[in-house]
Amino acid sequence: MAQRVPGTTSMGSLSRAVVVAALVAPAMGFVTRPALRTIHRRAAQPLSMVSTPDKTSASPANIDSDSPAGMAGDSWHPGSWRDYRCEQLPEYPDKSAVEEVEAELRKCAPLTFAGEMRELQAQLAEAQKGNGFLLMGGDCAESFDEFSTDHIRDTMRVILQMALVITYGSGQPVIKIGRMAGQFAKPRSSPTEKVTMEDGSVVDLPSYKGDNINLDIPTAEARIPNPALMLRAYHQCAQTLNILRAFVGGGYADLSRLQEWNLDFVKKSPSGSKYRMLSNKIEEAMRFIRAIGIDTSSGPFKTTSFYTAHECLLLQYEQALTREDSTTVRPDSTGPGNYYGCSANMLWIGERTRQLDCGHLQYVRGLKNPLGVKISNKCENDELIELLDIINPDNIPGRVTLIIRMGNENIRDHLPRLVKAVEDAGKNVLWISDPVHGNTITAANGKKTRPVARIMDEINGFFEVHYLRQERQYNTFLYKWPFFKTLRIHGIKRKPYKPYMILKAYNLNFKS
């Protein structure tokens, strides 16, 4: 999990490469940014042992900062979020059952480790300097029913395939993060939703909030929050990570297998042909490398780094999996060590839970994980700067990633002011575009979907804004969207600036 990612200094057509990636695997995500220079990545750090706080409210950790927004700088502990208002948390009817589940989770092994988080943050810090790409992909929400080894393998190979295309086209290393092994909980805009029953009747039921909270079954009983689902989610996450680690370290990421990464449904398509052409070029380069005496049977040619991330929404679960890094405990016992959220390598807070006085922000500010924050056009300039002061008071590079989700109609009007505010304040952040969630519409059949033309237009707008400001943190990721095989793109009218023609997509068919 902490091996070096293979890189290449070959410079291909980034324009062609990313369009190929978008066609071959649009269900996942891709990252684009100008190739500036090759990164010299440091060797993997050893995984640190972690200990479990034995109390719900562990001893306070020293946070070396002032206390913006009323958050006491020296009073953070894993359970201090409980003293703040919290949005989107479920109302469990049996409080004692919740406490029992939390106690059980505190006894469980951490899913991720402190050394992995430190390595990821170092790579993100390099990406902020222009030395790499961030590629994030996965399901909008995981479920118990869809869990299988094949599903995990297919998700991973899409990410590997897209990372290969981007690396070859840009000559830059790619940081690969899977939105998996924890992405269960779903923020909802309403506590209830209308559900169509088998007999055609429409009833109001409590909203489905994710498989680790309640079940997507159209009955009132199934929609009651059940704390036991947190344990089931934990065990599925453990299996998912075990499978991912086996694939990463067991040879599935071997560059000699790159032809096998092509998904079945695109193998015979024009997109599949383009990928095979690219694969052939890489294989030719590999043969040359071997011919001049470079060993390709081990190291970065055989393995890669792969990290996980999810939205930090269900705080009871997150707190129960918070661990203290034993390698940072002070020898004189004058204070605690660093705390990590060991449910994932990266945690992010959403648009609905990032308020300055919210418990979610209070929880993540004391963690040493790399953090993400979803930002919409509703965010004010001063609000964003204060938020960054809270979660990254020391302005540490690589710690904060801003995930922009504004919709194609808003991004050109609102992103420039936020970028300028962050620049003027001298804040270290990595910018990411989430062009999916801000472009949601409801189709005639009642299902939520996202028009591809809007998605592409928001991506174009994201690049236009950063290009005009001469920013170097250009990243983007996509999620799966419904009815993918029936979607068609007949052209994007708005053209990005010439250096970023990678997003130009004319007459591309996404037909099954």
Side-chain angles (χ1 to χ4, degrees):
M1 291 292 290
Q3 300 298 318
R4 294 195 302 169
V5 180
T8 174
T9 57
S10 300
M11 292 299 295
S13 169
L14 185 57
S15 173
R16 295 285 185 186
V18 177
V19 169
V20 170
L23 287 173
V24 171
M28 297 307 304
F30 61 90
V31 181
T32 54
R33 59 187 299 167
L36 299 177
R37 52 189 177 272
T38 304
I39 187 174
H40 299 287
R41 298 180 57 193
R42 63 193 180 99
Q45 295 292 325
L47 301 184
S48 302
M49 296 299 293
V50 289
S51 58
T52 307
D54 57 1
K55 294 183 180 181
T56 300
S57 56
S59 56
N62 291 324
I63 308 296
D64 296 327
S65 67
D66 295 329
S67 52
M71 293 187 175
D74 59 353
S75 62
W76 186 92
H77 57 84
S80 57
W81 62 268
R82 297 175 188 266
D83 296 329
Y84 296 79
R85 73 176 185 89
C86 294
E87 302 290 340
Q88 299 291 330
L89 290 184
E91 290 290 336
Y92 291 105
D94 188 346
K95 305 300 183 184
S96 61
V98 178
E99 293 174 358
E100 291 176 4
V101 168
E102 290 183 49
E104 185 67 24
L105 285 171
R106 287 196 294 273
K107 299 176 184 177
C108 292
L111 295 172
T112 57
F113 301 90
E116 296 173 345
M117 278 75 114
R118 287 192 286 267
E119 177 69 16
L120 174 58
Q121 184 162 306
Q123 294 177 27
L124 293 173
E126 288 296 325
Q128 288 182 6
K129 300 175 185 177
N131 298 331
F133 292 79
L134 171 58
L135 171 64
M136 181 183 291
D139 292 327
C140 186
E142 295 175 276
S143 72
F144 297 147
D145 291 340
E146 294 181 355
F147 172 74
S148 70
T149 300
D150 289 347
H151 182 76
I152 296 168
R153 179 203 61 206
D154 290 345
T155 300
M156 180 180 178
R157 69 174 171 172
V158 169
I159 295 176
L160 290 176
Q161 184 185 55
M162 299 185 72
L164 179 71
V165 171
I166 297 166
T167 299
Y168 184 83
S170 67
Q172 294 286 335
V174 174
I175 305 166
K176 294 173 284 295
I177 300 180
R179 181 184 163 110
M180 53 203 308
Q183 184 54 38
F184 289 99
K186 298 166 60 71
R188 302 306 299 268
S189 57
S190 173
T192 62
E193 62 184 355
K194 294 187 180 298
V195 179
T196 302
M197 309 300 286
E198 292 183 357
D199 60 3
S201 62
V202 179
V203 299
D204 284 326
L205 290 175
S207 293
Y208 166 63
K209 295 186 175 182
D211 276 9
N212 61 347
I213 296 177
N214 57 8
L215 298 177
D216 192 16
I217 299 174
T219 66
E221 293 75 16
R223 296 300 177 88
I224 297 174
N226 181 359
L229 296 175
M230 286 191 281
L231 283 172
R232 185 176 175 184
Y234 169 84
H235 291 297
Q236 180 168 313
C237 291
Q239 293 181 69
T240 299
L241 285 165
N242 188 46
I243 295 168
L244 288 173
R245 288 182 169 115
F247 280 140
V248 168
Y252 194 79
D254 189 335
L255 280 178
S256 65
R257 301 173 60 99
L258 53 88
Q259 293 281 9
E260 301 176 29
W261 299 344
N262 219 346
L263 293 178
D264 294 336
F265 79 94
V266 295
K267 280 184 177 178
K268 297 181 180 180
S269 69
S271 303
S273 298
K274 292 179 180 179
Y275 178 74
R276 284 191 294 273
M277 292 172 60
L278 175 64
S279 300
N280 291 336
K281 292 180 180 179
I282 295 175
E283 288 175 341
E284 291 174 2
M286 293 287 287
R287 285 194 294 270
F288 173 78
I289 289 173
R290 287 191 292 268
I292 62 175
I294 297 177
D295 182 13
T296 63
S297 62
S298 62
F301 296 99
K302 293 288 184 181
T303 62
T304 186
S305 298
F306 196 94
Y307 303 99
T308 61
H310 65 252
E311 181 174 358
C312 177
L313 189 65
L314 186 55
L315 292 179
Q316 295 93 333
Y317 176 83
E318 301 296 343
Q319 180 192 339
L321 289 176
T322 303
R323 301 290 186 265
E324 182 182 15
D325 179 14
S326 62
T327 66
T328 59
V329 176
R330 300 173 187 176
D332 57 3
S333 300
T334 58
N338 295 331
Y339 282 96
Y340 289 86
C342 293
S343 63
N345 299 124
M346 172 188 277
L347 295 171
W348 76 79
I349 51 177
E351 168 68 15
R352 298 184 178 99
T353 55
R354 63 164 177 76
Q355 291 73 25
L356 300 181
D357 61 344
C358 187
H360 291 80
L361 198 65
Q362 163 66 19
Y363 170 71
V364 300
R365 79 178 182 93
L367 302 178
K368 294 300 182 179
N369 301 60
L371 303 175
V373 185
K374 286 282 188 80
I375 300 293
S376 77
N377 55 292
K378 299 176 183 178
C379 184
E380 298 296 334
N381 298 356
D382 293 342
E383 179 187 9
L384 177 57
I385 300 306
E386 188 170 1
L387 184 152
L388 294 174
D389 286 337
I390 292 173
I391 63 176
N392 193 18
D394 296 324
N395 202 23
I396 299 172
R399 175 162 168 79
V400 178
T401 298
L402 297 181
I403 307 169
I404 306 301
R405 39 95 72 215
M406 295 185 175
N408 69 311
E409 296 180 352
N410 296 312
I411 190 160
R412 293 174 179 85
D413 295 329
H414 294 276
L415 181 57
R417 61 176 175 82
L418 295 178
V419 173
K420 183 178 185 303
V422 170
E423 279 185 350
D424 291 346
K427 299 298 184 181
N428 288 312
V429 301
L430 186 65
W431 297 92
I432 295 182
S433 172
D434 170 8
V436 175
H437 288 101
N439 292 300
T440 305
I441 64 171
T442 302
N445 61 2
K447 299 290 186 179
K448 289 184 177 181
T449 187
R450 288 93 179 179
V452 177
R454 293 189 185 184
I455 292 172
M456 296 300 293
D457 189 43
E458 179 164 353
I459 295 173
N460 287 346
F462 178 82
F463 275 76
E464 290 170 16
V465 169
H466 284 285
Y467 173 66
L468 290 173
R469 296 205 60 82
Q470 298 182 347
E471 282 290 325
R472 293 186 299 179
Q473 295 92 320
Y474 304 18
N475 302 269
T476 172
F477 65 93
L478 304 175
Y479 298 120
K480 292 181 179 178
W481 56 81
F483 317 120
F484 161 68
K485 291 185 179 180
T486 65
L487 294 174
R488 294 172 62 93
I489 302 181
H490 289 295
I492 307 301
K493 293 182 178 179
R494 184 185 296 272
K495 296 182 181 179
Y497 291 89
K498 288 184 179 180
Y500 305 101
M501 296 305 284
I502 39 184
L503 300 177
K504 185 177 178 182
Y506 292 104
N507 300 318
L508 306 180
N509 290 329
F510 287 151
K511 295 191 296 182
S512 58

